[in-house]
Amino acid sequence: MFCFCARDEPWRGVLVGTDQARHAALQAEFPELTPHPILPKWLYLPETSDHFERTAARLVALARRRDPRIGIIPKPRKRRAAPRERK
C-alpha cells in the first residue's frame, strides 16, 4: 500500500499504491499528492510537503480502515512450466 523512502528526491517521502482510476479522488482529498515522476502509477507525498506528517497519518488511517482507494490487488503470477526431464 505504501513505500516509505528516505533517499534523495524524488525518492524522499511516501509512495501510495493505488489504481490510476482512483488518483483523482485521492488528490481531491489530499492536494499534496502528485503522480510520482518516475513511477506515475503511484501517488507521491514528498517529505518537503508542509503537511507531510498529518497527511501521511491520515493516509495510513484510511488504509487501516481498508479504504478501497488505497492499495492495488496484484495480478496473479503466471506459473512457470515444469522443467523438462533429461534423457
Side-chain angles (χ1 to χ4, degrees):
M1 292 183 174
F2 301 107
C3 180
F4 297 87
C5 305
R7 293 183 164 183
D8 295 330
E9 284 294 337
W11 302 103
R12 189 164 195 85
V14 178
L15 288 118
V16 182
T18 184
D19 292 324
Q20 287 183 327
R22 296 180 173 157
H23 281 201
L26 283 168
Q27 288 176 297
E29 188 171 343
F30 303 98
E32 305 86 19
L33 293 175
T34 58
H36 190 270
I38 297 171
L39 299 172
K41 67 180 182 178
W42 289 71
L43 289 175
Y44 181 57
L45 174 63
E47 188 180 286
T48 56
S49 169
D50 291 338
H51 307 289
F52 175 79
E53 286 151 9
R54 182 177 62 188
T55 302
R58 287 177 57 207
L59 288 165
V60 169
L62 286 177
R64 293 187 72 196
R65 288 193 307 258
R66 301 195 183 277
D67 187 300
R69 298 175 295 173
I70 297 178
I72 298 171
I73 298 173
K75 295 177 183 175
R77 292 185 178 203
K78 294 180 181 178
R79 291 185 176 216
R80 289 186 175 181
R84 295 182 183 181
E85 292 183 29
R86 291 188 166 182
K87 295 183 179 181

